[in-house]
Amino acid sequence: ERETNPVRQQRFLTFVLVGGGPTGVELAGTLAEIARQTRSEFRNIDTHKTRIVVIEAGPTILPSFAPALRDAARRSLARLHVEVRENTRVTAVDEGAVMLGAERLEAGTILWTAGVAASPITATSGPSSSSSTTPIFHPAPSASTCSSRIWVGSTSSSTTPGPATHR
């Protein structure tokens, strides 16, 4: 709401979801609905400009679903103005962008919704690691252990037992 630079504003209004399985597809649709329903609540943001992109490395979104259901989901996402990019691999993630080979896709929010196991990309992006793909988060983050990335689900583990939120 406070950003006046249109280029930066568009970056903040761009959401990239890495993974075209059920979680990524449902979350993309939900974000599109939220953007549509909150238009009147902002004075300086045009949520019509919200860009939502689902990136799927495989040949199709929802690969475990029947082809007719995949097509219906693809049509629903298109009606919501969600971009679906299949056969597209994320090769790197940095602050504010994903790399799709040589293409840089700027985004204010990047959500990793791919698979049930941590991606190998997390091995290059997190604090110390318990395996090649799982960043470990310490109970008392400090400047040396805390980053601006947020890892959830199977992409993270904690040094303390029980539920916790780590940044």
Side-chain angles (χ1 to χ4, degrees), residues 36-116:
R36 183 186 322 179
Q37 294 173 10
T38 59
R39 288 183 179 136
S40 63
E41 296 181 27
F42 296 101
R43 294 178 307 232
N44 301 318
I45 295 175
D46 179 2
T47 59
H48 282 103
K49 295 180 180 176
T50 300
R51 181 180 182 198
I52 301 167
V53 184
V54 176
I55 309 292
E56 171 55 47
T60 183
I61 60 169
L62 302 172
S64 63
F65 286 51
L69 293 173
R70 284 184 230 149
D71 293 341
R74 205 177 281 108
R75 285 191 304 273
S76 292
L77 292 174
R79 274 194 304 277
L80 293 168
H81 305 287
V82 173
E83 297 173 43
V84 175
R85 297 182 62 177
E86 297 165 323
N87 290 310
T88 305
R89 293 185 58 87
V90 171
T91 55
V93 178
D94 66 26
E95 184 128 2
V98 294
M99 294 300 297
L100 311 169
E103 178 188 355
R104 180 178 173 84
L105 179 56
E106 302 259 337
T109 303
I110 301 164
L111 300 166
W112 193 275
T113 61
V116 294

Side-chain angles (χ1 to χ4, degrees), residues 87-163:
N87 290 310
T88 305
R89 293 185 58 87
V90 171
T91 55
V93 178
D94 66 26
E95 184 128 2
V98 294
M99 294 300 297
L100 311 169
E103 178 188 355
R104 180 178 173 84
L105 179 56
E106 302 259 337
T109 303
I110 301 164
L111 300 166
W112 193 275
T113 61
V116 294
S119 165
I121 202 163
T122 61
T124 64
S125 302
S128 60
S129 181
S130 63
S131 70
S132 62
T133 60
T134 308
I136 295 176
F137 294 90
H138 303 281
S142 67
S144 64
T145 63
C146 195
S147 79
S148 62
R149 293 174 181 85
I150 298 173
W151 303 102
V152 296
S154 59
T155 60
S156 67
S157 66
S158 173
T159 58
T160 59

